[in-house]
Amino acid sequence: MKKIILLMLGLGCGMLPLFAQTNRITVHMIGDSTMANKPVIPANPERGWGQMLQMYFKDSVRVENYAQNGRSSKSFIAEGRWDKVVAALKPGDFVIIQFGHNDEKTNDVNRGTAPFGEYTTNLVRFIRETREHKATPILATPTARRKFDGAGKLMVTHGDYPKAVRAVAAEQ
């Protein structure tokens, strides 16, 4: 499954320059703090990965980063943020979808979702509504946290959320 998602991401990003040569397309990004834009003033070395994505494309590709700190798939929808993305979608666009960090906060009724419950339902909704606008959805698993065990090995901190993303990708 990991290979499928990496392949999807690779193909999706690899295809962007082909579209960019003939049409102006937009890469819409939805997710949490790990991909969100961070202030550059005052000086702060932290950047979301989505904040840096534009530099990898020609001017014919525009990156619109809707990701926000602290958002889950649930709160992103509830706050009307997804509606703004849907309103901006046009054929040929891409939507990169990455949630999980805040969906894990199941003790927070405004953000928490079960990985094979509401989280999966929300991912399927993002995919369906993206495709309804003839745009291409790209699922990304939650970014790994920098947490290591005593031997320096990266620890798994997202539980079943990456598995849920992979299952949705395989199904959809």
Side-chain angles (χ1 to χ4, degrees), residues 72-73 99-106 111-113 119 161:
S72 68
S73 64
F99 289 99
H101 277 260
N102 299 300
D103 288 84
E104 293 176 14
K105 298 176 180 177
T106 55
R111 296 190 287 179
T113 63
Y119 180 66
Y161 291 87

Side-chain angles (χ1 to χ4, degrees), residues 55-105:
M55 74 171 76
Y56 294 98
F57 297 106
K58 296 180 179 180
D59 291 339
S60 56
V61 176
R62 181 177 57 146
V63 175
E64 287 292 330
N65 193 351
Y66 298 86
Q68 290 291 311
N69 292 5
R71 298 317 183 276
S72 68
S73 64
K74 180 179 185 175
S75 63
F76 198 86
I77 293 168
E79 293 173 1
R81 294 175 185 279
W82 175 239
D83 291 336
K84 291 177 185 175
V85 177
V86 170
L89 288 176
K90 63 184 186 315
D93 284 353
F94 292 81
V95 179
I96 300 176
I97 305 157
Q98 181 204 281
F99 289 99
H101 277 260
N102 299 300
D103 288 84
E104 293 176 14
K105 298 176 180 177

Side-chain angles (χ1 to χ4, degrees), residues 121-135:
T121 300
N122 292 340
L123 295 178
V124 170
R125 175 182 174 180
F126 295 142
I127 292 167
R128 182 185 71 249
E129 293 180 8
T130 296
R131 287 179 174 158
E132 286 172 357
H133 287 81
K134 301 194 182 339

Side-chain angles (χ1 to χ4, degrees), residues 4-23:
I4 292 171
I5 292 173
L6 291 174
L7 178 63
M8 288 173 46
L9 185 57
L11 287 175
C13 290
M15 291 171 45
L16 292 177
L18 299 175
F19 286 104
Q21 292 173 7
T22 57
N23 300 326

